[in-house]
PDB file of all heavy atoms in Angstrom:
ATOM      1  N   GLY A1827      96.183 115.032 112.864  1.00 96.00           N
ATOM      2  CA  GLY A1827      97.570 115.238 113.246  1.00 96.00           C
ATOM      3  C   GLY A1827      98.545 115.463 112.120  1.00 96.00           C
ATOM      4  O   GLY A1827      99.763 115.434 112.340  1.00 96.00           O
ATOM      5  N   LEU A1828      98.057 115.714 110.903  1.00 97.00           N
ATOM      6  CA  LEU A1828      98.939 115.973 109.772  1.00 97.00           C
ATOM      7  C   LEU A1828      98.893 117.455 109.411  1.00 97.00           C
ATOM      8  O   LEU A1828      98.068 118.201 109.929  1.00 97.00           O
ATOM      9  CB  LEU A1828      98.538 115.100 108.580  1.00 97.00           C
ATOM     10  CG  LEU A1828      98.513 113.593 108.866  1.00 97.00           C
ATOM     11  CD1 LEU A1828      98.050 112.818 107.640  1.00 97.00           C
ATOM     12  CD2 LEU A1828      99.881 113.092 109.321  1.00 97.00           C
ATOM     13  N   GLN A1829      99.780 117.868 108.512  1.00 94.00           N
ATOM     14  CA  GLN A1829      99.887 119.288 108.176  1.00 94.00           C
ATOM     15  C   GLN A1829      99.713 119.520 106.682  1.00 94.00           C
ATOM     16  O   GLN A1829     100.093 118.673 105.865  1.00 94.00           O
ATOM     17  CB  GLN A1829     101.268 119.838 108.564  1.00 94.00           C
ATOM     18  CG  GLN A1829     101.667 119.707 110.008  1.00 94.00           C
ATOM     19  CD  GLN A1829     103.074 120.247 110.230  1.00 94.00           C
ATOM     20  OE1 GLN A1829     103.456 121.296 109.702  1.00 94.00           O
ATOM     21  NE2 GLN A1829     103.863 119.523 111.014  1.00 94.00           N
ATOM     22  N   VAL A1830      99.166 120.683 106.347  1.00 96.00           N
ATOM     23  CA  VAL A1830      99.154 121.164 104.969  1.00 96.00           C
ATOM     24  C   VAL A1830      99.789 122.554 104.994  1.00 96.00           C
ATOM     25  O   VAL A1830      99.102 123.568 105.104  1.00 96.00           O
ATOM     26  CB  VAL A1830      97.733 121.223 104.383  1.00 96.00           C
ATOM     27  CG1 VAL A1830      97.790 121.660 102.915  1.00 96.00           C
ATOM     28  CG2 VAL A1830      97.038 119.870 104.496  1.00 96.00           C
ATOM     29  N   PRO A1831     101.121 122.628 104.931  1.00 92.00           N
ATOM     30  CA  PRO A1831     101.800 123.927 105.004  1.00 92.00           C
ATOM     31  C   PRO A1831     101.470 124.795 103.795  1.00 92.00           C
ATOM     32  O   PRO A1831     100.966 124.312 102.768  1.00 92.00           O
ATOM     33  CB  PRO A1831     103.285 123.552 105.017  1.00 92.00           C
ATOM     34  CG  PRO A1831     103.321 122.098 105.361  1.00 92.00           C
ATOM     35  CD  PRO A1831     102.062 121.517 104.820  1.00 92.00           C
ATOM     36  N   ALA A1832     101.779 126.073 103.914  1.00 84.00           N
ATOM     37  CA  ALA A1832     101.535 126.991 102.804  1.00 84.00           C
ATOM     38  C   ALA A1832     102.376 126.606 101.591  1.00 84.00           C
ATOM     39  O   ALA A1832     101.922 126.686 100.450  1.00 84.00           O
ATOM     40  CB  ALA A1832     101.839 128.424 103.237  1.00 84.00           C
ATOM     41  N   SER A1833     103.620 126.182 101.827  1.00 82.00           N
ATOM     42  CA  SER A1833     104.506 125.749 100.746  1.00 82.00           C
ATOM     43  C   SER A1833     105.693 125.026 101.364  1.00 82.00           C
ATOM     44  O   SER A1833     105.892 125.052 102.586  1.00 82.00           O
ATOM     45  CB  SER A1833     105.003 126.940  99.921  1.00 82.00           C
ATOM     46  OG  SER A1833     105.965 127.681 100.649  1.00 82.00           O
ATOM     47  N   SER A1834     106.507 124.413 100.515  1.00 79.00           N
ATOM     48  CA  SER A1834     107.685 123.711 101.018  1.00 79.00           C
ATOM     49  C   SER A1834     108.707 124.672 101.597  1.00 79.00           C
ATOM     50  O   SER A1834     109.561 124.271 102.400  1.00 79.00           O
ATOM     51  CB  SER A1834     108.328 122.890  99.896  1.00 79.00           C
ATOM     52  OG  SER A1834     108.720 123.726  98.831  1.00 79.00           O
ATOM     53  N   GLU A1835     108.633 125.937 101.205  1.00 82.00           N
ATOM     54  CA  GLU A1835     109.561 126.929 101.748  1.00 82.00           C
ATOM     55  C   GLU A1835     109.184 127.346 103.162  1.00 82.00           C
ATOM     56  O   GLU A1835     109.945 128.048 103.828  1.00 82.00           O
ATOM     57  CB  GLU A1835     109.601 128.157 100.835  1.00 82.00           C
ATOM     58  CG  GLU A1835     110.069 127.856  99.421  1.00 82.00           C
ATOM     59  CD  GLU A1835     111.410 127.134  99.394  1.00 82.00           C
ATOM     60  OE1 GLU A1835     112.336 127.584 100.102  1.00 82.00           O
ATOM     61  OE2 GLU A1835     111.526 126.115  98.687  1.00 82.00           O
ATOM     62  N   GLU A1836     108.023 126.918 103.620  1.00 86.00           N
ATOM     63  CA  GLU A1836     107.565 127.284 104.960  1.00 86.00           C
ATOM     64  C   GLU A1836     107.721 126.152 105.963  1.00 86.00           C
ATOM     65  O   GLU A1836     107.273 126.270 107.105  1.00 86.00           O
ATOM     66  CB  GLU A1836     106.092 127.705 104.894  1.00 86.00           C
ATOM     67  CG  GLU A1836     105.853 128.968 104.089  1.00 86.00           C
ATOM     68  CD  GLU A1836     106.595 130.163 104.678  1.00 86.00           C
ATOM     69  OE1 GLU A1836     106.546 130.332 105.911  1.00 86.00           O
ATOM     70  OE2 GLU A1836     107.237 130.905 103.913  1.00 86.00           O
ATOM     71  N   VAL A1837     108.351 125.074 105.540  1.00 89.00           N
ATOM     72  CA  VAL A1837     108.454 123.917 106.424  1.00 89.00           C
ATOM     73  C   VAL A1837     109.773 123.194 106.159  1.00 89.00           C
ATOM     74  O   VAL A1837     110.325 123.258 105.057  1.00 89.00           O
ATOM     75  CB  VAL A1837     107.259 122.958 106.195  1.00 89.00           C
ATOM     76  CG1 VAL A1837     107.333 122.307 104.828  1.00 89.00           C
ATOM     77  CG2 VAL A1837     107.172 121.902 107.284  1.00 89.00           C
ATOM     78  N   ALA A1838     110.292 122.533 107.173  1.00 89.00           N
ATOM     79  CA  ALA A1838     111.495 121.719 106.998  1.00 89.00           C
ATOM     80  C   ALA A1838     111.123 120.382 106.368  1.00 89.00           C
ATOM     81  O   ALA A1838     110.060 119.821 106.650  1.00 89.00           O
ATOM     82  CB  ALA A1838     112.163 121.478 108.345  1.00 89.00           C
ATOM     83  N   THR A1839     111.989 119.886 105.511  1.00 93.00           N
ATOM     84  CA  THR A1839     111.807 118.558 104.933  1.00 93.00           C
ATOM     85  C   THR A1839     112.762 117.602 105.632  1.00 93.00           C
ATOM     86  O   THR A1839     113.981 117.764 105.557  1.00 93.00           O
ATOM     87  CB  THR A1839     112.105 118.568 103.423  1.00 93.00           C
ATOM     88  OG1 THR A1839     111.187 119.437 102.768  1.00 93.00           O
ATOM     89  CG2 THR A1839     111.980 117.172 102.843  1.00 93.00           C
ATOM     90  N   VAL A1840     112.211 116.616 106.333  1.00 96.00           N
ATOM     91  CA  VAL A1840     113.023 115.599 107.001  1.00 96.00           C
ATOM     92  C   VAL A1840     112.494 114.239 106.573  1.00 96.00           C
ATOM     93  O   VAL A1840     111.314 113.935 106.774  1.00 96.00           O
ATOM     94  CB  VAL A1840     112.959 115.724 108.537  1.00 96.00           C
ATOM     95  CG1 VAL A1840     113.827 114.639 109.186  1.00 96.00           C
ATOM     96  CG2 VAL A1840     113.405 117.108 108.988  1.00 96.00           C
ATOM     97  N   ILE A1841     113.340 113.430 105.952  1.00 96.00           N
ATOM     98  CA  ILE A1841     112.943 112.073 105.584  1.00 96.00           C
ATOM     99  C   ILE A1841     113.983 111.093 106.113  1.00 96.00           C
ATOM    100  O   ILE A1841     115.132 111.455 106.372  1.00 96.00           O
ATOM    101  CB  ILE A1841     112.748 111.897 104.066  1.00 96.00           C
ATOM    102  CG1 ILE A1841     114.068 112.002 103.314  1.00 96.00           C
ATOM    103  CG2 ILE A1841     111.748 112.895 103.526  1.00 96.00           C
ATOM    104  CD1 ILE A1841     113.921 111.707 101.833  1.00 96.00           C
ATOM    105  N   SER A1842     113.556 109.838 106.259  1.00 98.00           N
ATOM    106  CA  SER A1842     114.446 108.851 106.871  1.00 98.00           C
ATOM    107  C   SER A1842     114.034 107.443 106.481  1.00 98.00           C
ATOM    108  O   SER A1842     112.862 107.173 106.212  1.00 98.00           O
ATOM    109  CB  SER A1842     114.394 108.984 108.395  1.00 98.00           C
ATOM    110  OG  SER A1842     115.104 107.936 109.027  1.00 98.00           O
ATOM    111  N   CYS A1843     115.009 106.552 106.487  1.00 97.00           N
ATOM    112  CA  CYS A1843     114.726 105.121 106.411  1.00 97.00           C
ATOM    113  C   CYS A1843     114.455 104.605 107.827  1.00 97.00           C
ATOM    114  O   CYS A1843     114.666 105.328 108.804  1.00 97.00           O
ATOM    115  CB  CYS A1843     115.913 104.391 105.790  1.00 97.00           C
ATOM    116  SG  CYS A1843     117.387 104.381 106.837  1.00 97.00           S
ATOM    117  N   PRO A1844     114.010 103.355 108.002  1.00 97.00           N
ATOM    118  CA  PRO A1844     113.734 102.845 109.354  1.00 97.00           C
ATOM    119  C   PRO A1844     114.975 102.658 110.218  1.00 97.00           C
ATOM    120  O   PRO A1844     114.888 102.680 111.450  1.00 97.00           O
ATOM    121  CB  PRO A1844     113.046 101.500 109.096  1.00 97.00           C
ATOM    122  CG  PRO A1844     112.505 101.607 107.714  1.00 97.00           C
ATOM    123  CD  PRO A1844     113.496 102.443 106.964  1.00 97.00           C
ATOM    124  N   GLY A1845     116.151 102.437 109.600  1.00 97.00           N
ATOM    125  CA  GLY A1845     117.349 102.195 110.393  1.00 97.00           C
ATOM    126  C   GLY A1845     117.194 100.973 111.281  1.00 97.00           C
ATOM    127  O   GLY A1845     116.520 100.002 110.935  1.00 97.00           O
ATOM    128  N   THR A1846     117.797 101.038 112.468  1.00 96.00           N
ATOM    129  CA  THR A1846     117.830  99.859 113.339  1.00 96.00           C
ATOM    130  C   THR A1846     116.486  99.542 113.988  1.00 96.00           C
ATOM    131  O   THR A1846     116.388  98.555 114.718  1.00 96.00           O
ATOM    132  CB  THR A1846     118.884 100.031 114.447  1.00 96.00           C
ATOM    133  OG1 THR A1846     118.607 101.237 115.174  1.00 96.00           O
ATOM    134  CG2 THR A1846     120.281 100.087 113.873  1.00 96.00           C
ATOM    135  N   THR A1847     115.452 100.340 113.718  1.00 96.00           N
ATOM    136  CA  THR A1847     114.146  99.962 114.264  1.00 96.00           C
ATOM    137  C   THR A1847     113.708  98.611 113.725  1.00 96.00           C
ATOM    138  O   THR A1847     113.061  97.832 114.429  1.00 96.00           O
ATOM    139  CB  THR A1847     113.071 101.013 113.934  1.00 96.00           C
ATOM    140  OG1 THR A1847     112.969 101.160 112.512  1.00 96.00           O
ATOM    141  CG2 THR A1847     113.397 102.353 114.565  1.00 96.00           C
ATOM    142  N   THR A1848     114.067  98.313 112.456  1.00 96.00           N
ATOM    143  CA  THR A1848     113.687  97.022 111.868  1.00 96.00           C
ATOM    144  C   THR A1848     114.755  96.420 110.963  1.00 96.00           C
ATOM    145  O   THR A1848     114.723  95.218 110.702  1.00 96.00           O
ATOM    146  CB  THR A1848     112.400  97.161 111.022  1.00 96.00           C
ATOM    147  OG1 THR A1848     112.609  98.148 110.005  1.00 96.00           O
ATOM    148  CG2 THR A1848     111.208  97.548 111.886  1.00 96.00           C
ATOM    149  N   CYS A1849     115.694  97.223 110.463  1.00 96.00           N
ATOM    150  CA  CYS A1849     116.597  96.768 109.401  1.00 96.00           C
ATOM    151  C   CYS A1849     117.779  95.976 109.950  1.00 96.00           C
ATOM    152  O   CYS A1849     118.464  96.427 110.877  1.00 96.00           O
ATOM    153  CB  CYS A1849     117.098  97.970 108.602  1.00 96.00           C
ATOM    154  SG  CYS A1849     118.190  97.523 107.233  1.00 96.00           S
ATOM    155  N   ARG A1850     118.065  94.839 109.340  1.00 93.00           N
ATOM    156  CA  ARG A1850     119.153  93.972 109.786  1.00 93.00           C
ATOM    157  C   ARG A1850     120.526  94.613 109.609  1.00 93.00           C
ATOM    158  O   ARG A1850     121.455  94.313 110.361  1.00 93.00           O
ATOM    159  CB  ARG A1850     119.131  92.653 109.008  1.00 93.00           C
ATOM    160  CG  ARG A1850     117.978  91.736 109.346  1.00 93.00           C
ATOM    161  CD  ARG A1850     118.080  90.465 108.530  1.00 93.00           C
ATOM    162  NE  ARG A1850     116.981  89.544 108.812  1.00 93.00           N
ATOM    163  CZ  ARG A1850     116.816  88.384 108.192  1.00 93.00           C
ATOM    164  NH1 ARG A1850     117.680  88.006 107.267  1.00 93.00           N
ATOM    165  NH2 ARG A1850     115.802  87.603 108.494  1.00 93.00           N
ATOM    166  N   ILE A1851     120.678  95.441 108.583  1.00 94.00           N
ATOM    167  CA  ILE A1851     122.001  96.018 108.329  1.00 94.00           C
ATOM    168  C   ILE A1851     122.069  97.492 108.707  1.00 94.00           C
ATOM    169  O   ILE A1851     123.066  98.157 108.443  1.00 94.00           O
ATOM    170  CB  ILE A1851     122.432  95.819 106.864  1.00 94.00           C
ATOM    171  CG1 ILE A1851     121.433  96.465 105.903  1.00 94.00           C
ATOM    172  CG2 ILE A1851     122.608  94.340 106.559  1.00 94.00           C
ATOM    173  CD1 ILE A1851     121.897  96.438 104.453  1.00 94.00           C
ATOM    174  N   GLY A1852     121.013  98.003 109.325  1.00 96.00           N
ATOM    175  CA  GLY A1852     121.067  99.368 109.823  1.00 96.00           C
ATOM    176  C   GLY A1852     122.117  99.488 110.918  1.00 96.00           C
ATOM    177  O   GLY A1852     122.266  98.595 111.754  1.00 96.00           O
TER     178      GLY A1852
END
Side-chain angles (χ1 to χ4, degrees):
L1828 304 178
Q1829 302 178 42
V1830 183
S1833 73
S1834 60
E1835 299 306 313
E1836 295 300 315
V1837 68
T1839 298
V1840 180
I1841 68 175
S1842 172
C1843 68
T1846 56
T1847 59
T1848 57
C1849 181
R1850 290 181 180 177
I1851 59 173

